[in-house]
Amino acid sequence: MAAEKPEIVRKAEILIAETMCGRDASHDAAHAFRVRDVALSLAKEEALSPSSLEIVELAALLHDIGDYKYTKDLVEDTTIIEKFLKEEGLDESKREKILSIIKNMGFKNEVACASFSNSSLEFCIVQDADRLDAIGAIGVARCFVYGGSKNHVMYDPEIPPREDLTKEKYTMKDAKTTIINHFHEKLFKLKDLMKTKAGKRRAERRHKFMEDFLAEFHMEWDGRA
């Protein structure tokens, strides 16, 4: 029989379902639950201490509630998360660790060379789990779902991938790019940005799947398959 979930985790799951409903399937509640499950699995492989598991689980679950892509002003917003953790009586040190993970784990921060310094194992696990969900079969599906939700062109050989991306360029709302370009601008880079040994191992398989997918895509696009 599975162990009963802590009350704060159960409430976090309810909060996620309520606040992330209506989003496209690339960043919905199911994404948060997958990231949580992968994070806990990585934590087990990395022999994370039991005292840190709560931080990992809550950070993984809550990480996308205030995602800038879905906020009114296109800026990260952790207000709901901060309020939830405080109301649930989580001690201040854990609240600070969870919020620090969430605020610093995004790819846009790494693009800006502003990724979280002196990264804790908890941070590395949650970030790796989120990035694993961005690659592989699910990553491919999420990429097309999100691009479609923004009416992005699927592929145009006349629009090359953007190079030398800055944080501002990466988060630009009306950037001229394509769904396929996102593989080159971000997804293919994630394997080498994994921070845990467990994350690196899993990323190899998912990365290979994307390479094979894109090779097949171009063969079909060009009428060679």
Side-chain angles (χ1 to χ4, degrees):
M1 180 181 293
E4 186 175 347
K5 294 178 182 178
E7 183 71 5
I8 190 171
V9 171
R10 189 184 65 79
K11 288 185 177 180
E13 291 176 342
I14 294 171
L15 177 66
I16 290 161
E18 292 175 346
T19 57
M20 299 175 75
C21 67
R23 287 188 185 181
D24 65 85
S26 69
H27 295 82
D28 59 0
H31 163 65
F33 296 148
R34 287 194 306 271
V35 172
R36 183 268 306 275
D37 292 344
V38 172
L40 290 179
S41 179
L42 294 178
K44 183 177 180 180
E45 288 189 52
E46 294 289 331
L48 190 69
S49 66
S51 64
S52 296
L53 287 177
E54 183 177 43
I55 293 170
V56 165
E57 183 163 18
L58 289 173
L61 279 171
L62 300 169
H63 78 280
D64 262 349
I65 284 181
D67 190 323
Y68 74 94
K69 294 185 288 297
Y70 299 90
T71 61
K72 181 179 179 181
D73 300 318
L74 294 179
V75 294
E76 212 79 30
D77 185 1
T78 58
T79 305
I80 293 175
I81 302 170
E82 293 174 34
K83 183 173 181 288
F84 170 77
L85 295 175
K86 192 169 184 178
E87 287 181 347
E88 290 305 311
L90 198 66
D91 68 70
E92 186 176 359
S93 64
K94 284 189 175 182
R95 294 203 310 266
E96 289 177 352
K97 288 179 181 178
I98 290 168
L99 288 167
S100 184
I101 290 170
I102 292 171
K103 290 177 180 179
N104 291 282
M105 63 186 276
F107 181 73
K108 64 184 182 302
N109 293 320
E110 206 131 18
V111 165
C113 299
S115 58
F116 191 35
S117 61
N118 299 319
S119 302
S120 66
L121 184 53
E122 295 98 327
F123 172 87
C124 294
I125 286 171
V126 177
Q127 186 184 65
D128 279 6
D130 187 40
R131 290 178 171 180
L132 283 169
D133 203 58
I135 60 178
I138 286 178
V140 170
R142 290 181 63 212
C143 182
F144 280 89
V145 166
Y146 181 76
S149 75
K150 299 299 180 183
N151 294 318
H152 290 170
V153 174
M154 184 165 64
Y155 175 59
D156 184 342
E158 298 300 317
I159 303 176
R162 294 172 294 173
E163 298 180 354
D164 301 319
L165 279 179
T166 62
K167 182 177 181 179
E168 289 71 27
K169 287 182 180 178
Y170 178 73
T171 58
M172 191 181 300
K173 183 179 180 181
D174 299 317
K176 188 177 182 181
T177 187
T178 70
I179 295 173
I180 291 298
N181 282 354
H182 191 62
F183 286 83
H184 301 285
E185 294 171 356
K186 176 182 178 180
L187 304 187
F188 282 147
K189 298 176 181 179
L190 296 182
K191 175 176 70 71
D192 294 330
L193 293 175
M194 294 290 165
K195 294 179 172 61
T196 65
K197 291 181 180 179
K200 291 176 188 292
R201 285 195 300 270
R202 297 193 189 193
E204 290 288 343
R205 174 188 174 117
R206 297 192 184 209
H207 184 86
K208 178 64 165 54
F209 178 92
M210 293 193 301
E211 288 182 327
D212 292 343
F213 169 82
L214 211 57
E216 178 68 18
F217 178 93
H218 285 299
M219 287 182 66
E220 294 181 13
W221 184 276
D222 295 337
R224 293 181 286 118

